[in-house]
Amino acid sequence: MPASRDLAERLVFLRGYLRAPGAVGSVTPSSLSLGRRMARLAHVDRAASVLELGAGTGSVTRALLEALPAGARLWAFEIDGEFARGLRARFDDPRLEVVERSAADAPAVMERAGVRAVDAVVSALPFSLLGRDVSRSVLDAAARVMRPGAALVALQYNPWYLAPLLRERFGTLERRLWLWNLPPAVLLRAHAPGPR
């Protein structure tokens, strides 16, 4: 990414954080290397349909599109209007659908799109800032649209909040520390019950 575009993306992200810190959760977007790691953990390269929850300015979106097979689809949920408009302007890719709605609306969106189940869910939502009711609603929505064995990979800076909620909903949980991000992040991975 050219330095000027990288700086512009960071400034848009910082404005979003200052406007709604409880919804954005970080002052800087995730690194591309972190997004690529998330795509690998979610097996996006083998997916036909992927949900991204909390797409922000698109740093993880970019990595998901890099890994996504031709003919597959990525639904990027982003509730912030400025971020959603930026995603539409930044990515000219027919595989991408930017959804300016809550991630909790994923089942209705997938039903309307005629998608029975998705192969992966990738999230950068700041669950610890959303509260337990909203967090459970989003996790339940994700679980309802995941095919058996599909992975949910969540980027968190406070993994102690989300880990018990993932165990409660999915039963299994893996943790991976990612030091090559500012700030360092923890990746949590859970699988929908059933064959992988």
Side-chain angles (χ1 to χ4, degrees):
M1 175 189 306
S4 60
R5 199 167 84 197
D6 184 48
L7 177 60
E9 182 179 323
R10 289 179 183 278
L11 289 173
V12 168
F13 198 91
L14 178 60
R15 269 200 319 270
Y17 175 80
L18 294 173
R19 187 173 59 249
V24 176
S26 175
V27 296
T28 184
S30 306
S31 67
L32 182 58
S33 64
L34 176 58
R36 288 174 174 153
R37 181 65 177 149
M38 293 174 77
R40 282 193 300 275
L41 287 172
H43 306 294
V44 169
D45 61 328
R46 302 191 312 240
S49 52
V50 177
L51 295 187
E52 181 185 10
L53 311 181
T57 56
S59 58
V60 174
T61 310
R62 183 175 295 111
L64 297 177
L65 288 170
E66 281 180 4
L68 198 68
R73 294 294 306 273
L74 170 62
W75 284 268
F77 282 76
E78 179 48 61
I79 202 166
D80 182 286
E82 184 178 357
F83 285 173
R85 287 188 296 278
L87 289 166
R88 291 185 188 101
R90 190 168 294 116
F91 298 107
D92 181 22
D93 192 316
R95 299 171 301 167
L96 176 65
E97 178 74 31
V98 178
V99 182
E100 196 174 333
R101 291 175 65 173
S102 166
D105 295 333
V109 172
M110 294 299 96
E111 183 179 353
R112 194 176 67 242
V115 175
R116 294 175 58 99
V118 300
D119 302 305
V121 177
V122 176
S123 173
L125 288 172
F127 282 97
S128 64
L129 301 177
L130 300 180
R132 290 202 182 274
D133 289 344
V134 172
S135 295
R136 282 193 174 103
S137 176
V138 169
L139 293 177
D140 286 346
R144 284 175 50 202
V145 298
M146 292 167 70
R147 69 162 174 75
L152 181 151
V153 176
L155 155 67
Q156 295 293 284
Y157 298 110
N158 177 4
W160 303 275
Y161 177 85
L162 183 59
L165 296 178
L166 284 172
R167 272 199 207 92
E168 171 188 295
R169 188 62 183 87
F170 295 95
T172 64
L173 182 65
E174 302 165 48
R175 285 189 181 94
R176 288 187 168 80
L177 180 62
W178 189 258
L179 297 172
W180 299 270
N181 191 66
L182 187 63
V186 173
L187 299 177
L188 301 174
R189 180 168 68 175
H191 289 91
R196 294 185 189 177

